[in-house]
């Protein structure tokens, strides 16, 4: 009975770690991933924005369709506003994880590690076991 209980507990905890945070709404600016909250705090650099659902997603945003649970917003940033950015492959390398290992951001899996993210969304990073391999988990909220 203990084995069954511990197996259930282990499975439940693994499932809990991989749950998607449905409160997070992702954003894209210049082909770089951020969050809507991040841009709301930096309104002075935003030139314009447009929100999309999976039904009306333009071709240039199709590669982000896996994170479209709450839609995605595309921002145009005013010229001269360079925000810190880093690729997911570089983040993996910094944490001694193979560069091609998918990264989880708020529970959403990003298998393409060539994707670049804004440094502002890296509130907390942790290395955890996911499907038997070391995986980088990123939290965008405090």
């Amino acid at each position: 009975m203990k084995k069954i209980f511990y197996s259930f507990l282990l499975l439940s905890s693994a499932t809990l770690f991989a749950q998607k945070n449905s409160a997070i709404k992702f954003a894209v600016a210049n082909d770089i991933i951020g969050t809507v909250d991040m841009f709301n705090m930096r309104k002075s650099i935003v030139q314009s924005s447009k929100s999309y659902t999976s039904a009306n997603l333009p071709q240039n945003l199709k590669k982000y369709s896996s994170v479209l649970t709450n839609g995605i917003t595309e921002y145009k940033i005013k010229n001269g506003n360079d925000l810190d950015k880093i690729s997911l492959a570089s983040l993996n390398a910094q944490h001694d994880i193979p560069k091609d290992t998918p990264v989880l951001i708020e529970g959403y899996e990003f298998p393409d590690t060539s994707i670049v993210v804004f440094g502002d969304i890296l509130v907390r990073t942790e290395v955890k076991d996911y499907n038997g391999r070391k995986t980088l988990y990123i939290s965008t909220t405090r």
Side-chain angles (χ1 to χ4, degrees):
M1 187 67 171
K2 281 185 178 180
K3 287 182 182 180
I4 293 173
F5 176 72
Y6 286 123
S7 296
F8 176 73
L9 187 61
L10 182 63
L11 180 62
S12 297
S13 65
T15 304
L16 181 63
F17 283 130
Q19 287 199 355
K20 295 176 181 175
N21 183 349
S22 59
I24 297 300
K25 188 166 181 184
F26 287 101
V28 176
N30 301 335
D31 215 26
I32 304 168
I33 294 284
T35 64
V36 171
D37 289 341
M38 182 191 94
F39 286 104
N40 285 342
M41 290 190 301
R42 296 176 171 264
K43 290 183 180 183
S44 62
I45 68 167
V46 174
Q47 182 175 336
S48 65
S49 67
K50 182 162 178 152
S51 295
Y52 298 100
T53 63
S54 58
N56 66 349
L57 193 64
Q59 189 62 37
N60 66 318
L61 298 178
K62 294 266 187 209
K63 67 180 174 182
Y64 306 114
S65 62
S66 64
V67 296
L68 277 179
T69 305
N70 292 329
I72 197 163
T73 303
E74 183 176 31
Y75 286 91
K76 302 281 187 221
I77 298 177
K78 294 177 183 174
N79 288 336
N81 288 294
D82 276 340
L83 298 171
D84 290 336
K85 52 194 172 266
I86 188 167
S87 72
L88 296 178
S90 295
L91 283 170
N92 274 342
Q94 288 179 9
H95 290 86
D96 295 324
I97 298 172
K99 290 183 178 186
D100 62 341
T101 302
V103 174
L104 287 147
I105 303 175
E106 293 293 350
Y108 293 89
E109 185 174 334
F110 286 78
D112 180 4
T113 59
S114 68
I115 289 176
V116 178
V117 297
F118 286 108
D120 288 11
I121 72 168
L122 305 175
V123 173
R124 189 175 67 239
T125 58
E126 297 177 82
V127 177
K128 299 180 186 177
D129 184 60
Y130 179 68
N131 292 336
R133 52 195 299 202
K134 284 180 19 178
T135 304
L136 184 63
Y137 282 74
I138 298 172
S139 178
T140 65
T141 55
R142 300 191 190 283

